[in-house]
Amino acid sequence: MITPELKARFPEVPIREGVLLSDYASFGIGGPAAGFVSVSDISLFARLLPGANALGVPTLIIGGGTNLLVSDAGYDGLVIHIDINDFQVDRELGIAKAGAGVPTALFVDRVIEAGMAGLEFAAGLPGTIGGAIAGNAGCFGHTLSDFLERVAILEPDGTVREVDVDWFDFDYRRSRVLDGEAVIVSATFNLQQGDRIALRAIAQQHLAIRSAKHPPKGAKTAGSYFKNLPPQAPGEPRRAAGALLDQAGVHGLRVGDAAVFERHANIIVNRGRATARDVLSLAAQMANQVRERFGVALEPEVRFIGEHPADIRYLIDTG
């Protein structure tokens, strides 16, 4: 739903209609957006978002699209693609700042090249800085939020302000941002000086581990589909959803072109022309096999955008 009033209020904004969201989601899945615009200007973003809200136009904010499954019917609203890509690194002050649209892997690479330590665990992490913080992304025992100092956010009324880490109420793979309370504009990280060669070696080790388990670059996937489960006892690590799925025998499952990745049971890949319906059907089968084997319900980590197909009974209990 893109109203004439929205276009009239923002004549300088090139709002495109019918843009396929499959081109902006790492799954390579998704129907058309009623309206689509990329924004790199913060002042424009600060006017456009509340303007759309005031007119009752639904909005969807996306970055790298790496943790999304978009409906085959698309999105009946305005999709705002964050393209804020400025970043700066100050080794003497131990500060690195990135716009929300900066690819996380690129930012980590630049930080390491500057001889700044802390984020090398995130080498190769997909998506953008904004999305990674919003979903509290992490790996190898760390999250990006462990090193956050402050973040510039855009509130629904168009106010841009800086907040500290406590504002986010970070939890496992979530933050207040996912509840729609604000949008991340940029983030500043507090890092330490380090040896560039040593940091690069650590990053390469992590990349090697990632490449051994994950699909190759360019594969159509959203990464881990389900969240890891809470610890069984205090002090213990979370239970890996991939291990439960593996033991439940999901390898080899396939619906259409949506298939369980052969080297990681918690990853679904689009082998060609998979639809959102295919992925939802496959995910339901996977979750059901874990439920039957272990009596536990898996919760999706991948966010579904749009309306579920009418003929799909979404069998995953998300609590």
Side-chain angles (χ1 to χ4, degrees), residues 193-207:
Q193 293 185 6
D195 180 78
R196 181 178 61 83
I197 296 176
L199 295 173
R200 178 66 64 194
I202 295 172
Q204 290 297 330
Q205 291 174 4
H206 289 167
L207 285 170

Side-chain angles (χ1 to χ4, degrees), residues 131-138 142-146 165-179 227-231 238 299 301:
I133 295 172
N136 199 18
H142 294 288
T143 64
L144 291 187
S145 61
D146 295 338
V165 178
D166 292 339
W167 179 89
F168 286 87
D169 290 335
F170 282 118
D171 199 351
Y172 177 71
R173 300 297 181 260
R174 73 161 304 279
S175 74
R176 288 174 64 180
V177 173
L178 295 185
D179 298 329
K227 295 179 181 180
N228 290 334
L229 280 78
R238 283 183 170 266
E299 180 182 350
E301 181 174 329

Side-chain angles (χ1 to χ4, degrees), residues 225-227 280 287 291 296-304 308 314-319:
Y225 195 89
F226 297 102
K227 295 179 181 180
L280 291 172
R291 190 197 309 270
V296 297
L298 295 179
E299 180 182 350
E301 181 174 329
V302 174
R303 295 169 56 213
F304 182 80
H308 290 93
Y314 201 47
L315 301 175
I316 302 167
D317 179 13
T318 59

Side-chain angles (χ1 to χ4, degrees), residues 34-181:
F36 182 96
V37 61
S38 288
V39 294
S40 57
D41 183 278
I42 296 175
S43 62
L44 172 60
F45 191 18
R47 291 185 292 113
L48 179 61
L49 182 61
N53 291 338
L55 293 172
V57 176
T59 56
L60 170 65
I61 313 299
I62 66 172
T66 54
N67 205 37
L68 301 177
L69 174 61
V70 182
S71 166
D72 302 312
Y75 182 74
D76 189 21
L78 178 64
V79 175
I80 303 177
H81 175 239
I82 304 298
D83 195 29
I84 303 172
N85 287 312
D86 56 309
F87 62 86
Q88 61 188 61
V89 178
D90 191 322
R91 189 171 188 272
E92 296 303 316
L93 293 178
I95 294 297
K97 181 178 180 180
V102 174
T104 304
L106 174 63
F107 181 63
V108 171
D109 189 66
R110 295 294 176 86
V111 166
I112 290 173
E113 199 61 29
M116 300 179 71
L119 299 181
E120 54 276 5
F121 75 92
L125 199 68
T128 58
I129 289 294
I133 295 172
N136 199 18
C139 52
F140 300 108
H142 294 288
T143 64
L144 291 187
S145 61
D146 295 338
F147 300 90
L148 272 181
E149 181 172 285
R150 58 185 182 275
V151 178
I153 61 170
L154 172 64
E155 298 182 310
D157 65 356
T159 301
V160 177
R161 67 185 179 100
E162 283 199 336
V163 295
D164 60 21
V165 178
D166 292 339
W167 179 89
F168 286 87
D169 290 335
F170 282 118
D171 199 351
Y172 177 71
R173 300 297 181 260
R174 73 161 304 279
S175 74
R176 288 174 64 180
V177 173
L178 295 185
D179 298 329
E181 295 193 32

